[in-house]
Amino acid sequence: MNPYVLTTLLSSLGLGTTLTFASSHWLLAWMGLEINTLAIIPLMAQHHHPRAVEATTKYFLIQATAAAVILFAGTANAWATGEWSMASVSDPIATTMVLAALSLKVGLAPMHFWMPEVLQGLDLLTGLVLSTWQKLAPFALIIQTSQAFDPLLLTALGLTSTLIGGWGGLNQTQLRKVLAYSSIAHMGWMIIVLQYAPHLTFLALLMYILMTSAAFLTLKLSYATKIGTLATTWSKTPLLTATAALVFLSLGGLPPLTGFMPKWLILQELAKQGLPFTATIMALAALISLYFYLRLCYSMTLIISPNTAASTTPWRTQTTQVSTPLALFTMMALGLLPITPAVTALLI
């Protein structure tokens, strides 16, 4: 892609997200979301592959539907209250429509069906942008309007997403689909604590972005898109294989890695709010997710791939990819647990 075009598209992505962050007016927020969607579409379709074009079309239709519902909900709320401000969402129908549309945008269950299919059709770098940056603007709106939502509905969405994200990833062999279901499960963790401690939702989103970035960049560096391909990585890059296994375990929330921090604090908050049953279900759902991360680790570290004599020796192939961002994200995805008190003090 032309560097000038790429710069324009990435600037538009940043502009759309910033506009949504800064807005307290429904029209401005909607405009930011639309700029965001329109900026990523050329990035998604840049390879001109039928799968990429299909994924782009699906994504455009879903995001356009969600944006239209948000605009309609904002109009309905303005009709009922006389204000366009996001702080005054009091109409119950408008509130429900906003939550449904934002859930569709970020891929919360049961509005998650588009997420694995779209992510599967993209290359890893665009998939990374879709899984991380594109979540920021809708989540900013969810956090801003969280007090207007029904607590029971938020809890139901959180539990459903965590369970479906765990169950859906069990049978997958494509790594992008595994990461899509991982994303759905993490969204559930963020949404369930939103009504009690919004700062923990922000912390969980931040940690999810760090760990997912490390996972996607690892797969990009090792050219892996299927679980079977992971078996060849140990012979090419043994050190990367070791850190990649730890990144996947961190995504699963295993102590003493970074991914344990948000899960631990969210379970603690749920127990503090007198919801031990909900906390137990969330912890058990995290175990289901951990199983498919363990599958990935097993494939990477404990399986020797069948090699024929005619194949090129993989450890002699040189890569030209930049690995500095990967090193940075991996370090943060593995080692932030000891500074949990400092992180929570900064957020509160």
Side-chain angles (χ1 to χ4, degrees):
M1 187 179 275
N2 186 310
Y4 296 116
V5 175
L6 186 62
T7 306
T8 307
L9 292 174
L10 292 177
S11 305
S12 300
L13 267 180
L15 173 68
T17 306
T18 311
L19 194 60
T20 308
F21 279 175
S23 61
S24 57
H25 191 287
W26 279 116
L27 270 180
L28 273 176
W30 169 79
M31 203 182 298
L33 292 171
E34 284 296 278
I35 292 170
N36 230 352
T37 304
L38 293 173
I40 200 173
I41 285 199
L43 294 173
M44 293 169 77
Q46 64 181 316
H47 295 295
H48 305 296
H49 190 273
R51 287 302 301 269
V53 174
E54 182 192 334
T56 308
T57 309
K58 285 177 181 173
Y59 183 75
F60 174 72
L61 291 173
I62 292 291
Q63 297 298 311
T65 306
V69 173
I70 287 171
L71 189 58
F72 184 62
T75 311
N77 186 66
W79 184 274
T81 61
E83 285 186 54
W84 280 93
S85 170
M86 276 191 267
S88 62
V89 186
S90 54
D91 185 51
I93 297 172
T95 307
T96 311
M97 284 169 66
V98 165
L99 184 57
L102 291 172
S103 301
L104 185 61
K105 269 202 169 287
V106 295
L108 269 170
M111 280 78 83
H112 68 285
F113 295 100
W114 63 272
M115 183 84 184
E117 296 301 322
V118 167
L119 208 58
Q120 179 57 30
L122 305 178
D123 67 299
L124 288 165
L125 215 52
T126 316
L128 168 61
V129 175
L130 186 72
S131 301
T132 55
W133 186 264
Q134 291 297 93
K135 306 281 189 205
L136 293 176
F139 248 98
L141 294 183
I142 290 174
I143 290 171
Q144 277 189 67
T145 52
S146 61
Q147 298 311 312
F149 301 141
D150 179 16
L152 194 62
L153 190 58
L154 287 176
T155 306
L157 277 172
L159 286 172
T160 312
S161 296
T162 317
L163 288 166
I164 286 179
W167 280 113
L170 290 179
N171 204 26
Q172 301 300 330
T173 55
Q174 298 287 338
L175 295 174
R176 283 165 291 187
K177 281 193 176 179
V178 168
L179 287 168
Y181 281 109
S182 158
S183 170
I184 293 162
H186 278 89
M187 294 297 123
W189 280 92
M190 292 170 215
I191 214 81
I192 202 158
V193 79
L194 179 62
Q195 56 203 316
Y196 309 114
H199 66 278
L200 287 184
T201 297
F202 181 68
L203 172 69
L205 181 61
L206 195 63
M207 295 303 144
Y208 160 76
I209 287 173
L210 292 178
M211 294 182 294
T212 305
S213 300
F216 267 103
L217 291 171
T218 301
L219 298 179
K220 184 177 178 293
L221 200 72
S222 51
Y223 300 102
T225 53
K226 295 193 287 289
I227 288 185
T229 322
L230 288 178
T232 64
T233 53
W234 70 270
S235 58
K236 297 181 200 174
T237 45
L239 189 61
L240 182 68
T241 305
T243 56
L246 289 173
V247 165
F248 286 126
L249 291 176
S250 183
L251 267 168
L254 206 68
L257 304 166
T258 302
F260 179 61
M261 184 204 300
K263 287 186 169 63
W264 167 36
L265 293 172
I266 288 168
L267 290 176
Q268 188 181 9
E269 184 63 34
L270 289 173
K272 208 185 290 181
Q273 295 291 340
L275 298 164
F277 184 64
T278 309
T280 307
I281 295 173
M282 294 296 284
L284 292 173
L287 281 179
I288 302 171
S289 296
L290 186 61
Y291 175 76
F292 65 73
Y293 295 121
L294 281 170
R295 267 182 74 206
L296 300 184
C297 295
Y298 177 76
S299 299
M300 289 187 91
T301 55
L302 296 172
I303 288 182
I304 298 174
S305 70
N307 278 324
T308 59
S311 64
T312 312
T313 45
W315 50 85
R316 296 190 189 279
T317 56
Q318 291 295 319
T319 180
T320 54
Q321 296 186 63
V322 181
S323 56
T324 313
L326 171 61
L328 187 65
F329 281 119
T330 301
M331 189 176 68
M332 288 192 284
L334 301 184
L336 291 187
L337 187 65
I339 60 164
T340 303
V343 174
T344 47
L346 279 172
L347 289 172
I348 294 172

